[in-house]
Amino acid sequence: MNPAPRRTYYFVDMNEKRKPYPYDRIEPKWQSIWAEKGTFRTPNPGDADFDPAKPKFYVLDMFPYPSGSGLHVGHPEGYTATDIIARYRRMKGFNVLHPMGWDAFGLPAEQHAIKTGEHPRENTAKNIANFKQQLNRIGFNYDWNREVNTTDPGYFKWTQWIFRLLYESWYNPETRKAEPISTYTGANPDGVRLAFVSEAPVNWCQGLGTVLANEEVVDGKSEVGGFPVERRPMRQWMLRITAYAERLIDELQGLDWPEGIKLLQKNWIGRSEGAHVYFVLENFENTPTSLIALALDTDKADHPEADAVPEGHRVHRTAELTVFTTRPDTLFGATYMVLSPEHPLVDIFAADEHKEAIAKYRAEIGGKSDLERTELSKDKTGVFIGAYAVNPVNGERIPVWIADYVLMGYGTGAIMAVPAHDERDWEFAKKFELPIRAVVQTAAGGNVEEACVAGEGTAINSHNAALSLDGLPTADAKSKIIDWLEANGGGERKINYKLRDWLFSRQRYWGEPFPIIWTDGKHSSLPESELPLLPPDLDDFKPTGTGEPPLAKATDWVRYSEAATRETNTMPQWAGSCWYYLRFCDPRNPEHFVSPEAERYWMDGGKPGGVDLYVGGTEHAVLHLLYARFWHKVLFDYGYVSTPEPFQRLVNQGLILGEDGQKMSKSRGNVVNPDEVIQEFGADALRLYEMFMGPLEQVKPWSMAGVQGVARFLARVWRLIMEENQEGQWVLSDAVQDVELTGAQQRVVHATIKKVTEDIESLSFNTAISQMMVCTNELTAATVRPVAALRALLQVLNPFAPHLSEELNETLDRKFPGAESGLLAGRTWPEYNPAFLVEDEIEMPIQINGKLRERIVVKKDAAAAEIEAIALASPKVQEHLAGKTPRKVIVVPGKLVNVVV
RNA sequence: GCCGAUGUGGCGAAAUGGCAGACGCAGCGGACUUAAAAUCCGUUGAGGAGAAAUCCUCGUGCGGGUUCGAGUCCCGCCAUCGGCACCA
């Protein structure tokens, strides 16, 4: 049933500030019409009004954290862009999925709860209501039936479900896929689960009583509150994202993402090709397997005697040190070794008389924050541990040192030092007077005693009885020595990644509880039937201060059974945002996180990525996008989703700066609130200005004068169609008539349709708007304004300024019913006719030696010879030629003529 | 240090290798008005010649190059912003 037709009269209210057009009445009017009619409700496959003949288009915004301070003008930038795309695609005949939701777990709500005692749930609900109301005032076409909220048990049930899936899975390197843990045949399944427990050094913040993610720590202090942060080993849940490192790099290839973002991800994952090289320790040659050495990816479960070996380490044949190097070709130049001070083997290999110095050095650097450690990087420090290793390639005896320039977290935590060809090793060798031996000759050359000679070249001084690299270019030398090492048990080819496993637990209240219970120190997952696992209600959200999470205070909740207790950590904020785009496809489904039918329809467009367009800020270029891709791939391996990647096309909108050109912030007082802009200029003006400022992806400053400019444009469009009568009412202008368009009007209207269509496709909204301004200026000049021209303009303007265009179109329709009826939002996008764009005669510039000298007018299809003749005959040209004969005349028909003398 | 992005009027910006500055802001002049605001019309890169219409020179961060022709392509710099930062 349609509601009774509305009729709106506008009176100029003298008491009120005069508005260029009554946006304050028409905007709420259309917003409520859209809500009542359900204009933007998107049916799913299986729904009665679903049309399977239409292609799908999934256009998504990065959903916001609903903060207490509400929206600022940066938010609607990307949202307006996707809003335009969604409206446009719908008019182009697509089924459009364009949802919005809330990433609502997070530290601010919890901090607020600690301060005020108000439950985070209540505060979050208020903030969401505020955000939603602000978004609706801008007139976005979200399908609110699909709203999701990560803190809703109906949602986080499935976040917990996916975590449980990760926990019950391992990555099978043979199949290169996640599989149920039951297919793993090794002795220690807990060592390979995709979600696992680890004793990891974490950023512990005493002031906040919680661990923090790396990105929450700035300069050794907490981002919130500025409290000191220390590294402390704690029992933590980790996700084995490193298992997917290779796929996360390789599968970027098929995505339409900015190359810069792909590169950022690749660098973050940090793939390096090289080798592991084993160095036997002097005096430990016959020490059997009771000693350990580092080697990532090696399965300690194959060695049952190695129960005491920490995660990720392996048992060696003998007491060896393994190093990772990307330059195995320089092995003959290794003159010493360096271990990270935290390396577990230091205590085993160190000579007794050096142990005191080692302890002292460790204490020194232990007191340093990460910042200090890197700040002092210019000055290398370290101590000799009194041990010697044997270089496998020449049997040479080289000293072993510890130094903080070698990081425990990368590679094996140990390096072979080649001071001649590595800048850091060179500095260290110079300071401690260690030998430097050149083994690579580079094109640039140089004396290794004076400076480090970095880069590739030709191997020299690199031979033993059985092997010579001398004369080989670096690449060949690398592969030859790796072959030799592999044949002689001295090492192996190895690919190393910078990416670390993902620290996935937080000692917080306001997050998803883990679906895990502990029995006799062993963990197991809750049965699916017990999900969602709700957090307990607490009276007091303060941290315990001991490192125990707040959930530990709820002793009844923690007690699962006589024998078992619940995990008290919660998941980080990233968890809910890792899969929300899937829930939007089928947001209320109680049986599945998304039904297979809905998933297939909305996500499978025949491309690697599911979401057709994803728009958000660069601040998520690495972490969110990497995490979501990881989860998606696990779900893909199980067949729960039909594409290997979540997001096909990614666009980062640029930051909006304050009017002062500075980043918007409360402390600078340059934050612009969209509500104020709407109050003064209307939502359509806000939308239009956000898009008119400049290219979407560029950083650009706000300007209220600019808003006024586009508001003026909208008012001009209004007055194309409306005029004020004697009583001060806005009524349809008499100039609007059902007449044929003039040639010039035909041309500008069709040029506008063409340009706006193409510019929306390429997200060049600013130039689309200028073209509509050109069109409006042209029509303003006309004394009689053809309805057809106005209708076309309103139709292409509709995605940008939906309220104004619907209102004007309704007014036009009352007097001039057209071929289509109903809302513009439901009509078909106009086509342009190329025949109207061509002019009979065109103006062509004439250059002489590349300088513009004259313009001529020729028939549009004039032949090159004809144009040349006209050009040369021009008096101006003759004058400039000054009697000289042109050497060459270049005629580009339709473009220009260039005469060369 | 490494990686990436960006440098065009007073400002935001536009230009498939082909008339640099579309469109908008600000400015200036005019119309309407008792007046102002709003609106409409015109004008506006810099410098120079001319009474004027017009014309000339220079001009896209800097220096080179390719080309009949470069804001656009190539080489080398500089500056600003963003990310990473002893990653072996």
Side-chain angles (χ1 to χ4, degrees), chain A residues 596-619:
Chain A
E597 302 76 44
E599 191 281 331
R600 215 175 304 128
Y601 181 74
W602 291 115
M603 292 295 288
D604 190 357
K607 291 190 172 161
V611 174
D612 296 280
L613 177 64
Y614 192 32
V615 177
T618 350
E619 64 272 22

Side-chain angles (χ1 to χ4, degrees), chain A residues 698-774:
Chain A
Q698 209 158 89
V699 179
K700 43 211 178 283
W702 188 263
S703 154
M704 277 300 180
V707 183
Q708 198 166 0
V710 294
R712 225 157 13 212
F713 159 66
L714 291 174
R716 280 164 72 87
V717 173
W718 175 263
R719 288 192 310 266
L720 276 181
I721 293 169
M722 306 295 279
E723 63 188 14
E724 255 178 292
N725 66 12
Q726 297 288 314
E727 290 80 48
Q729 292 176 344
W730 285 109
V731 295
L732 183 61
S733 163
D734 290 337
V736 177
Q737 293 173 28
D738 193 1
V739 294
E740 284 292 306
L741 281 68
T742 65
Q745 288 169 344
Q746 201 76 272
R747 191 149 49 238
V748 74
V749 166
H750 283 259
T752 301
I753 296 170
K754 178 174 195 278
K755 181 128 184 78
V756 174
T757 306
E758 289 168 356
D759 286 354
I760 291 178
E761 294 279 356
S762 64
L763 310 185
S764 310
F765 303 110
N766 53 334
T767 48
I769 293 166
S770 4
Q771 181 61 38
M772 291 188 279
M773 288 173 168
V774 170

Side-chain angles (χ1 to χ4, degrees), chain A residues 91-110:
Chain A
M91 293 187 222
K92 285 286 248 183
F94 286 78
N95 281 329
V96 173
L97 180 57
H98 185 47
M100 182 45 88
W102 316 104
D103 188 15
F105 278 125
L107 197 54
E110 183 158 342

Side-chain angles (χ1 to χ4, degrees), chain A residues 105-106 110 156 160 508-514 535 551 570-572:
Chain A
F105 278 125
E110 183 158 342
F156 71 68
Q160 291 170 331
R508 285 182 192 158
Y509 175 76
W510 194 227
E512 300 88 345
F514 282 81
L551 293 189
T570 53
M571 299 185 201

Side-chain angles (χ1 to χ4, degrees), chain A residues 1-5 33 36-38:
Chain A
M1 286 291 284
N2 288 327
I33 289 175
E36 278 167 30
K37 289 190 183 239

Side-chain angles (χ1 to χ4, degrees), chain A residues 219-286:
Chain A
D219 292 349
K221 290 187 176 144
S222 64
E223 193 181 18
V224 181
F227 300 107
V229 174
E230 55 175 306
R231 302 290 284 175
R232 183 196 271 196
M234 286 176 79
R235 200 209 76 213
Q236 299 291 336
W237 283 94
M238 310 281 291
L239 297 186
R240 204 179 299 279
I241 191 172
T242 50
Y244 281 81
E246 206 175 327
R247 279 171 62 184
L248 287 169
I249 289 181
D250 293 348
E251 291 167 23
L252 280 170
Q253 211 189 346
L255 301 181
D256 305 320
W257 289 19
E259 284 307 314
I261 301 297
K262 287 189 186 180
L263 202 61
L264 220 53
Q265 291 224 344
K266 276 185 207 162
N267 291 343
W268 187 267
I269 297 165
R271 181 181 196 273
S272 302
E273 281 182 35
H276 272 179
V277 183
Y278 314 137
F279 286 75
V280 175
L281 268 286
E282 189 182 66
N283 300 327
F284 289 85
E285 292 89 343
N286 299 312

